[in-house]
Amino acid sequence: MEKDSIIKKIYLLWLFIVLGIASSTVYAVEVIMHPSVKESVLTTSQLRRIYTMRQIHWADGSRITVYTLPRKHVLHLHFSKERLQMFPYQLDRIWNKLTYSGLGVAPITVNSPQELIDAIKNTPGAIGYVDNVKDEESVRVITITD
């Protein structure tokens, strides 16, 4: 009897683990940009400089236009943590400091991933992020390295 009880407990533990893994949402955050941007690879450090508004021009001298989703959006949370390796509140502090000191501007916030894609494809020099790129001809997915 004791052996059956142990087997049942192991089975239930395995079942909870499998269900937990299967139910968790996995986000593959892709960084996208306007096709006019020449860069094809960015480091995490470069991406962080762009999103903290310390790098405002591409290598060819053209202006970078940064787009982001609202701070509470799940995709923004994942982008901040996974791609920038920062917490969203850290970005908010940086953007607020730039805005209220008059030393810079915060990124342009759009309401949805589709609005972000539309903004990127209509703005030369633009950069943003999405979880799923459907029309790869209108925007370019960029590779991020460490």
Side-chain angles (χ1 to χ4, degrees):
M1 280 243 182
E2 191 173 310
K3 186 177 178 182
D4 288 340
S5 175
I6 292 172
I7 291 173
K8 284 181 185 178
K9 287 179 183 178
I10 291 172
Y11 175 75
L12 287 174
L13 177 63
W14 176 82
L15 185 63
F16 285 127
I17 290 171
V18 169
L19 289 176
I21 291 170
S23 67
S24 64
T25 304
V26 177
Y27 279 90
V29 181
E30 298 287 347
V31 178
I32 60 171
M33 56 184 45
H34 189 272
S36 68
V37 177
K38 303 291 185 244
E39 279 83 345
S40 59
V41 176
L42 289 176
T43 65
T44 300
S45 178
Q46 287 173 304
L47 186 64
R48 194 177 306 119
R49 281 197 309 272
I50 290 169
Y51 268 86
T52 57
M53 311 310 281
R54 290 184 300 176
Q55 180 178 338
I56 58 173
H57 292 97
W58 294 112
D60 66 1
S62 62
R63 185 137 182 98
I64 301 173
T65 304
V66 180
Y67 286 95
T68 187
L69 292 168
R71 67 180 63 157
K72 299 281 186 187
H73 197 285
V74 173
L75 185 55
H76 178 69
L77 299 174
H78 285 283
F79 171 75
S80 300
K81 291 178 184 175
E82 293 171 15
R83 292 296 188 176
L84 300 179
Q85 299 172 353
M86 299 176 73
F87 290 104
Y89 75 85
Q90 292 173 302
L91 282 173
D92 288 342
R93 284 183 183 168
I94 292 167
W95 296 339
N96 288 338
K97 184 177 179 181
L98 285 170
T99 302
Y100 297 123
S101 69
L103 296 174
V105 295
I108 300 167
T109 302
V110 295
N111 294 319
S112 71
Q114 187 57 51
E115 281 184 43
L116 195 141
I117 291 170
D118 293 341
I120 299 286
K121 60 181 170 180
N122 293 316
T123 310
I127 187 169
Y129 53 89
V130 293
D131 59 348
N132 186 5
V133 181
K134 295 174 188 153
D135 183 11
E136 292 189 30
E137 293 176 13
S138 60
V139 296
R140 280 190 328 120
V141 176
I142 191 161
T143 303
I144 305 299
T145 63
D146 288 332

